[in-house]
Amino acid sequence: MHAAQDPAPDPYDPPVPARELTAVSTDGARLHVEVHGPVDDPGAPAVVLAHGWTCSTAFWAAQIRDLAADHRVIAYDQRGHGRSPASRGYGTDALADDLEAVLAATLAPGEKAVIAGHSMGGMTVMAAAGRAGFREHTAAVLLCSTGSSRLVARSTVVPIPAGRPRTWLTRRVLGSRAPLGPVTPLARRILKYATMGPGSAPHMVDACARIVHACPRRARHAWSQVLDGLDLDIHVRQLRVPVAVVTGTSDRLTPPEHARSLAAALPDCLGLTELPGLGHMTPVEDPGTVTGKIRELAARFVAGQVTGQATGHVPGQATGHVPGQATGHEPGRATGHGSAHEQHGVARIREGA
């Protein structure tokens, strides 16, 4: 007889962090932070993950599971999301303050990391681009499914031609104060239509629905107002580290024109990857490609610094490199340091700006 084997873990089931801590932002807002992987290995490249609107650290589960094998992975809940309490301060300055607080709480002075931001997480990176703390700790950036301005006007969630009526309706849909309620079959269909590609597998849709429906209504509405008036175009030009951009061609929340505008405006864009048929939730819809991009950036721009080797990167020059196979795996002060848990255990490519 053969002993029964434990089933493989769900790639979208949030992993148990090796450490948990609380970073405190400039205005006193407390941010839940998780650290995964070899937390005490100074040779492990650091990666920081910033999630988007209505999400949480759970959104990055597939990336964390893969990267934590040989990277120190830092993920945090944006204020009002996940395990980070609500705050009175909502705005792009707060986003930048919070990211700087997380970097200061988790990285040694001068230590560099790759920062990956999805949706509002990418906007967080843009908002922080000119900050001293951000520049001190950022080696390279991955921007996933994000934009810098005109989010409501460009959104295609409401299926009518662009113009004032669509903008008016979109503003009311995305800014609604109505509770989302339980995750029902109808709720899954609505979420899939608005945020994911038509071919998204049911387990991917279910994972995203659970995360989005868990977001507190107050935070969802407050941040929707910030996104409505977002204008970070000037900040994009201040993002002078190497940046890779990823978008889904069927993204209704931040359509590909946002990514193309970013690639054209960034001072040092490594390339734009457009994923055919995918929607807004690219790290969930194609975890292999997104994780592969993070690995590539960490290997080139962080690992060499850890070992004292230069990367040889020329700013403003696209890499021309297309990752091969996907992995297949689906200023603040810190408080509460210490180990709370132990962890055991084909894209269409547009390269160049």
Side-chain angles (χ1 to χ4, degrees):
M1 296 180 63
H2 296 283
Q5 294 184 345
D6 293 332
D10 182 342
Y12 303 111
D13 186 24
V16 177
R19 289 181 183 162
E20 295 177 296
L21 56 99
T22 297
V24 182
S25 194
T26 304
D27 64 353
R30 300 171 67 83
L31 306 164
H32 171 72
V33 184
E34 301 175 1
V35 186
H36 300 258
V39 297
D40 296 318
D41 181 1
V47 172
V48 179
L49 305 175
H51 69 75
W53 179 50
T54 74
C55 292
S56 68
T57 58
F59 184 80
W60 295 107
Q63 283 69 44
I64 293 171
R65 286 191 181 281
D66 185 299
L67 293 169
D70 48 5
H71 294 70
R72 184 155 45 94
V73 184
I74 299 155
Y76 71 100
D77 286 325
Q78 302 270 20
R79 64 171 67 195
H81 294 72
R83 293 168 63 183
S84 293
S87 168
R88 294 182 179 179
Y90 293 95
T92 55
D93 283 344
L95 290 175
D97 289 342
D98 294 352
L99 177 56
E100 280 198 300
V102 171
L103 297 177
T106 57
L107 300 176
E111 182 181 6
K112 301 287 188 179
V114 169
I115 303 181
H118 170 259
S119 191
M120 192 174 79
M123 300 162 202
T124 301
V125 171
M126 297 177 222
R131 301 286 190 94
F134 177 86
R135 292 181 173 178
E136 176 187 357
H137 290 297
T138 305
V141 164
L142 177 65
L143 296 178
C144 293
S145 309
T146 191
S148 59
S149 65
R150 301 187 64 207
L151 301 180
V152 173
R154 287 180 169 179
S155 170
T156 59
V157 169
V158 177
I160 61 175
R164 289 183 179 179
R166 191 181 76 177
T167 299
W168 185 89
L169 286 169
T170 302
R171 180 171 289 119
R172 275 143 189 82
V173 170
L174 299 182
S176 172
R177 296 177 181 267
L180 297 182
V183 178
T184 63
L186 176 59
R188 292 187 186 93
R189 288 197 293 272
I190 294 172
L191 180 130
K192 180 179 179 179
Y193 165 80
T195 70
M196 306 183 78
S200 298
H203 69 288
M204 296 179 179
V205 178
D206 188 62
C208 289
R210 293 196 308 267
I211 293 168
V212 171
H213 279 244
C215 180
R217 178 172 49 169
R218 175 186 170 189
R220 189 184 84 231
H221 174 75
W223 283 115
S224 75
Q225 303 308 293
V226 175
L227 300 181
D228 187 357
L230 189 82
D231 187 352
L232 293 172
D233 291 347
I234 294 177
H235 294 255
V236 174
R237 293 187 286 274
Q238 296 175 339
L239 192 53
R240 294 187 171 89
V241 297
V243 182
V245 184
V246 172
T247 188
T249 62
S250 296
D251 188 342
R252 289 185 169 95
L253 285 177
T254 52
E257 61 185 298
H258 285 287
R260 295 167 192 155
S261 296
L262 288 172
L266 286 163
D268 191 5
C269 183
L270 299 175
L272 165 60
T273 303
E274 299 192 24
L275 301 174
L278 297 194
H280 186 66
M281 304 301 210
T282 45
V284 172
E285 295 177 76
D286 191 352
T289 293
V290 172
T291 304
K293 290 288 184 182
I294 297 172
R295 280 190 170 277
E296 180 186 351
L297 293 172
R300 186 173 183 192
F301 297 106
V302 181
Q305 295 186 31
V306 171
T307 60
Q309 299 175 354
T311 65
H313 173 66
V314 178
Q317 177 178 320
T319 64
H321 174 67
V322 179
Q325 300 297 321
T327 63
H329 295 289
E330 307 265 356
R333 63 186 183 276
T335 63
H337 282 282
S339 179
H341 300 283
E342 291 295 329
Q343 179 182 11
H344 301 288
V346 188
R348 177 161 63 93
I349 307 296
R350 289 167 50 94
E351 292 294 340

